Amino acid sequence: MPHLQFDLDFEVTAREADRFATEMAELYAERMDADTDYAAVTVREVEAIHLGRATGDKTVVLQADIRAGRSADRKRDLALAVIEAVAERFGVPESNQKVVFTEHEGSQMMGYDRVGDDWSESA
């Protein structure tokens, strides 16, 4: 039951944002051995993002709220895949991107029909 929150300091159309959100939910499911049914993806345009190493005029930050339990390697794999996808789709340099993971116990992630459980390789 992740929530992937993308902050962009440039404009995108509603259609672009929707397509990107769907692709990121699918990418998350693929890389994190999950399902897209409970994934939430937010794409927000913000006025400014400061990232000290950034160069140029486009910056993206992903705040990924996920269930605890994924390995560091699995999270790194997702982060690199997201950075590559953002660079390809929006032309944002890799150095102008940041991914931050915040992990939660499964029971802290809820939908209308369920309370999340702990993550495991067979989940």
Side-chain angles (χ1 to χ4, degrees), residues 93-114:
E94 293 172 346
S95 61
N96 290 18
Q97 299 183 56
K98 186 172 192 86
V99 177
V100 179
F101 290 97
T102 303
E103 296 180 280
H104 304 273
E105 293 177 21
S107 63
Q108 294 175 337
M109 305 185 97
M110 302 179 194
Y112 78 95
D113 61 343
R114 69 188 280 250

Side-chain angles (χ1 to χ4, degrees), residues 35-86:
D35 192 323
T36 59
D37 288 352
Y38 298 101
V41 181
T42 305
V43 179
R44 296 184 291 248
E45 293 177 21
V46 298
E47 290 294 317
I49 298 173
H50 174 79
L51 184 55
R53 67 175 178 268
T55 59
D57 60 349
K58 291 182 175 180
T59 307
V60 173
V61 175
L62 165 59
Q63 172 62 49
D65 289 306
I66 64 170
R67 278 190 295 181
R70 269 45 175 229
S71 69
D73 287 341
R74 192 179 289 259
K75 290 182 285 189
R76 182 66 177 156
D77 181 56
L78 175 66
L80 292 175
V82 166
I83 289 168
E84 182 179 330
V86 168

